[in-house]
Amino acid sequence: MDGGETQNSYTSKLFQVTEGEWAGWSYYPGGDPYEDLAGPFYYRIDERGPVCAFRAEHKHMNGGMFLHGGCVMTFADFCLFVIARDVLHDDHSVTATFNGEFVGTAHIGDLVECRGEVVKAGRSMVFVRGLITSKDEPVMSFSAVLKKRKRQT
């Protein structure tokens, strides 16, 4: 997800889940081919603000059978745009910088969640930070800058 509705020839459309484990959550199928492959990643807005989540599967593991760092970073990148969605106002934007610290892990079947905040929203840049957790233990802390861009016609 890059903060815009159209990326290359892919169209992102919000899908709200109505049944199963993810009832009440939303996701963007078709919005980002890599996230579709790595996810699905879900989000919802609750009384504390946006929360993102996914259930760790075999495809998310590394050779040691714990959560792959690339998966964690891909999920964090998804979370950036959910966390900042209210200040992006549907503007097209991209991740300009990303800093993350791996501080824990998750295993197959674990629920992986993320919450965060917008630190500052400027005219063209948005500063975001977040914490990914599993079983109430930190997995990754991260911060990033999103750059708003004009749409190419």
Side-chain angles (χ1 to χ4, degrees):
M1 189 165 105
D2 77 349
E5 288 294 318
T6 303
Q7 306 112 38
N8 298 326
S9 62
Y10 295 92
T11 301
S12 172
K13 185 168 183 154
L14 181 66
F15 180 80
Q16 296 181 341
V17 181
T18 58
E19 298 178 344
E21 175 182 14
W22 298 104
W25 294 76
S26 300
Y27 72 107
Y28 289 92
D32 184 312
Y34 192 77
E35 286 176 7
D36 286 347
L37 179 66
F41 300 137
Y42 300 92
Y43 83 92
R44 68 179 177 190
I45 310 300
D46 65 15
E47 65 282 349
R48 292 175 47 204
V51 58
C52 303
F54 74 100
R55 179 76 57 191
E57 301 174 25
H58 185 268
K59 71 178 183 175
H60 300 127
M61 301 297 117
N62 65 17
M65 294 309 291
F66 50 91
L67 195 58
H68 194 287
C71 176
V72 178
M73 290 183 73
T74 300
F75 178 58
D77 191 64
F78 167 84
C79 297
L80 293 172
F81 292 92
V82 172
I83 293 165
R85 66 193 297 261
D86 288 342
V87 299
L88 291 175
H89 308 293
D90 294 324
D91 289 335
H92 180 75
S93 53
V94 296
T95 307
T97 68
F98 182 96
N99 298 290
E101 291 76 39
F102 297 102
V103 294
T105 194
H107 299 89
I108 294 174
D110 290 349
L111 181 65
V112 180
E113 297 180 292
C114 179
R115 289 191 182 269
E117 65 181 335
V118 173
V119 176
K120 181 175 175 121
R123 184 173 47 87
S124 66
M125 299 174 88
V126 179
F127 299 80
V128 181
R129 67 179 166 201
L131 181 66
I132 298 173
T133 61
S134 181
K135 297 181 180 177
D136 293 322
E137 292 293 323
V139 173
M140 174 187 243
S141 63
F142 63 90
S143 62
V145 178
L146 304 178
K147 172 72 173 147
K148 295 179 184 179
R149 298 188 49 171
K150 293 184 181 192
R151 291 195 183 275
Q152 295 184 9
T153 57

